[in-house]
Amino acid sequence: VAAVALGAVALVWWARAGAGCEQGSFESPRFGYCVRTPSGWTAVAAEDAGTPLDRFFLPDGAATITVTAVPLTQGQDLARFEQFVRGYVEDAGAAADTSRPVTVDGVEGVAFDVRLEGDDGQVRSREVLFARDGIAWRVTLADEQIGFEANAHRLDEMLESWRFA
């Protein structure tokens, strides 16, 4: 009986380790995920930064990726969370594109681009929103127009490596 129990524990541990975080990944205990940080980028956990966001940034560039997670209120779903985020960015004077479906670690979500005209040119961002088990995640890439597409590719790579922890 003890051998069977030990074998079952080992099997569960092995299965979780295979589906879990890769060695060297950035892990966020606060928001329950891990990802590969894009090459050349710096990752700062919310606890270390003293902010409610995990941040990924290019040390010599304008691009920043932020991650946060919030509990959904009763009756709130991804569509309502998207409405809330859209209202927030539009109240700031930005224009938001139509949403498109995305999948992050097997979870359905939405993504849309945002544009904001400023004195120094256009700032673009990509919002990626998804929800699981009553928690909603918001992953945002913000960058200048000139570097946006290249850094959007890095965001896509980061999201492909996303694992819920």
Side-chain angles (χ1 to χ4, degrees):
V1 173
V4 171
L6 183 60
V9 168
L11 182 61
V12 169
W13 178 83
W14 176 80
R16 289 188 68 195
C21 300
E22 294 177 11
Q23 186 173 0
S25 292
F26 171 84
E27 189 168 356
S28 177
R30 181 173 185 174
F31 300 129
Y33 73 95
C34 55
V35 293
R36 282 188 313 264
T37 302
S39 179
W41 289 56
T42 300
V44 179
E47 296 83 16
D48 299 338
T51 69
L53 306 166
D54 289 339
R55 291 184 326 121
F56 302 82
F57 61 92
L58 276 168
D60 58 351
T64 302
I65 297 171
T66 58
V67 179
T68 191
V70 297
L72 294 171
T73 59
Q74 188 153 359
Q76 191 177 30
D77 59 6
L78 181 61
R80 287 186 182 227
F81 184 62
E82 179 186 0
Q83 286 177 335
F84 171 77
V85 172
R86 281 181 170 280
Y88 180 76
V89 298
E90 289 170 356
D91 287 349
D97 291 348
T98 303
S99 298
R100 65 187 179 286
V102 296
T103 303
V104 178
D105 195 18
V107 173
E108 298 296 316
V110 295
F112 57 92
D113 287 355
V114 176
R115 291 169 176 73
L116 179 64
E117 297 296 332
D119 294 337
D120 296 330
Q122 189 179 78
V123 175
R124 290 184 61 191
S125 67
R126 175 158 298 155
E127 298 285 349
V128 181
L129 313 172
F130 47 97
R132 176 181 167 208
D133 299 332
I135 305 293
W137 281 264
R138 179 182 181 191
V139 181
T140 305
L141 164 68
D143 198 1
E144 297 170 334
Q145 172 67 29
I146 194 164
F148 183 79
E149 290 305 324
N151 290 316
H153 179 69
R154 287 174 181 78
L155 171 66
D156 292 342
E157 289 173 347
M158 189 174 124
L159 291 171
E160 286 173 15
S161 75
W162 183 287
R163 297 294 174 263
F164 292 100

